[in-house]
Amino acid sequence: MDLLVDPAPLRQQCQKWRSQGLGIALVPTMGFLHAGHLSLFDHARTLAGRLVVSIFVNPAQFGPGEDLDRYPRDLPRDLELCRAHGVDLVFAPEPGAMYHPDHAAWIDVPELGAGLCGASRPGHFRGVCTVVAKLFGLVRPHVAVFGEKDWQQLAILRRMTRDLELGVTIVGRPIFREPDGLALSSRNVNLTPEERAGAPAIRQGLLLVQKAARAGQLDAAALGLIFRRHLAEKLPAARLDYAEFVHPEALTPAARLEAPALLAVAVFLGRVRLIDNILLEV
Ligand code: PAF
């Protein structure tokens, strides 16, 4: 497995593989890998002859006062995991290698990025789109794989790739969960033991809503109330950032669940912000 920290040799190596007729799959990550990432690698491995993983905590997608400094990092451990999961090349640049001091070009998809996480994290998706477009430009992968926990991110990256004709197939993979239902996230390590013990209530709330929808309650406001009440009762210390029903692709608000809708939620537990979602097909 190769480890590269500079864009030029990455571009060169990927160009070489393409000229040999090899397909390239890319899994962009911010490191501190967990089983969810590894499941993306395992799937990506089946889609192309070479697998590239990027590990880069992208400063451009963190706002002032967010957890850029607290974001967990452990490159030696990540490299071991990548090796064990058949990754061919890890690209782990420093911010200075990814952004010129006078970097001035940004990609934004405001129609999809203004609501949900974008409302409480202004500029976040602009940072995500820009770094992913840069990675696509360097690697020129045939396929890129992302997790569905960041559903909004996935929808935005699909739209960016389509609208800019980037020629990359975007693949989304299901959320990977702990046995108690908590969605895996690198940020889970920052939860206190009490917060960690209570966190599965988020998933339980999503399942309660699914049950109510399946029983015939199609009004988004009423379903939203079920989630809020559940959270207030089971996790009184939590602060709900949002719980919204949206169209799964357009991310526009859904008032009634007559067509499939996504319930996306973001919850603060102490200083940790957790996101989760469920696709409701009633
Ligand atoms: O989902 C993530 O880990 C990041 O947003 C991504 C896609 C690697 C871009 O930095």
Side-chain angles (χ1 to χ4, degrees):
M1 185 184 82
D2 290 330
L3 168 65
L4 297 175
V5 296
D6 287 317
L10 171 68
R11 189 193 290 282
Q12 233 169 24
Q13 178 59 71
C14 293
Q15 174 58 42
K16 193 170 145 197
W17 282 334
R18 273 195 308 277
S19 67
Q20 292 168 347
L22 290 162
I24 302 176
L26 170 68
V27 184
T29 82
M30 298 208 298
F32 210 72
L33 303 176
H34 51 64
H37 293 112
L38 303 178
S39 74
L40 301 185
F41 300 171
D42 292 345
H43 185 71
R45 200 83 199 76
T46 67
L47 302 176
R50 290 291 178 271
L51 171 57
V52 176
V53 166
S54 62
I55 297 179
F56 179 56
V57 183
N58 172 33
Q61 66 187 75
F62 289 80
E66 289 191 345
D67 59 350
L68 175 60
D69 296 337
R70 274 179 290 128
Y71 199 87
R73 294 162 168 87
D74 189 345
L75 186 59
R77 181 176 155 277
D78 287 349
L79 294 177
E80 276 314 306
L81 290 168
C82 286
R83 217 168 264 124
H85 283 261
V87 176
D88 295 292
L89 191 165
V90 173
F91 178 54
E94 290 296 322
M98 278 303 272
Y99 293 103
H100 297 284
D102 59 349
H103 176 99
W106 297 97
I107 298 182
D108 210 355
V109 187
E111 280 79 2
L112 275 67
L116 305 177
C117 286
S120 43
R121 303 188 69 190
H124 169 67
F125 289 115
R126 187 180 88 138
V128 170
C129 286
T130 303
V131 80
V132 170
K134 282 171 78 78
L135 291 166
F136 283 3
L138 289 167
V139 175
R140 294 183 44 218
H142 298 85
V143 57
V145 183
F146 299 88
E148 288 179 350
K149 179 167 72 67
D150 298 279
W151 186 286
Q152 186 179 16
Q153 167 174 284
L154 182 57
I156 289 172
L157 292 174
R158 279 192 208 283
R159 189 68 67 88
M160 172 186 87
T161 304
R162 185 200 75 178
D163 288 356
L164 298 181
E165 308 288 359
L166 298 181
V168 180
T169 301
I170 305 290
V171 173
R173 296 292 293 166
I175 299 178
F176 210 90
R177 298 183 181 279
E178 299 281 7
D180 61 10
L182 176 64
L184 260 61
S185 161
S186 302
R187 288 185 167 98
N188 290 353
V189 72
N190 288 335
L191 294 169
T192 64
E194 296 73 38
E195 289 163 355
R196 173 64 190 82
I202 299 170
R203 166 72 169 163
Q204 289 154 13
L206 297 177
L207 292 174
L208 270 183
V209 170
Q210 183 184 55
K211 196 170 158 200
R214 282 181 176 163
Q217 177 56 273
L218 300 183
D219 179 58
L223 291 169
L225 202 59
I226 293 175
F227 184 80
R228 282 164 209 275
R229 284 198 178 131
H230 168 82
L231 206 67
E233 187 194 328
K234 300 289 180 201
L235 211 46
R239 182 166 68 77
L240 183 63
D241 184 5
Y242 67 77
E244 289 182 29
F245 296 83
V246 293
H247 183 280
E249 280 169 33
L251 304 182
T252 44
R256 279 189 70 75
L257 272 62
E258 254 114 37
L262 184 83
L263 168 56
V265 303
V267 175
F268 279 100
L269 275 180
R271 296 166 80 198
V272 183
R273 185 172 176 280
L274 299 175
I275 58 173
D276 205 338
N277 64 68
I278 192 165
L279 188 61
L280 300 164
E281 291 168 293
V282 288

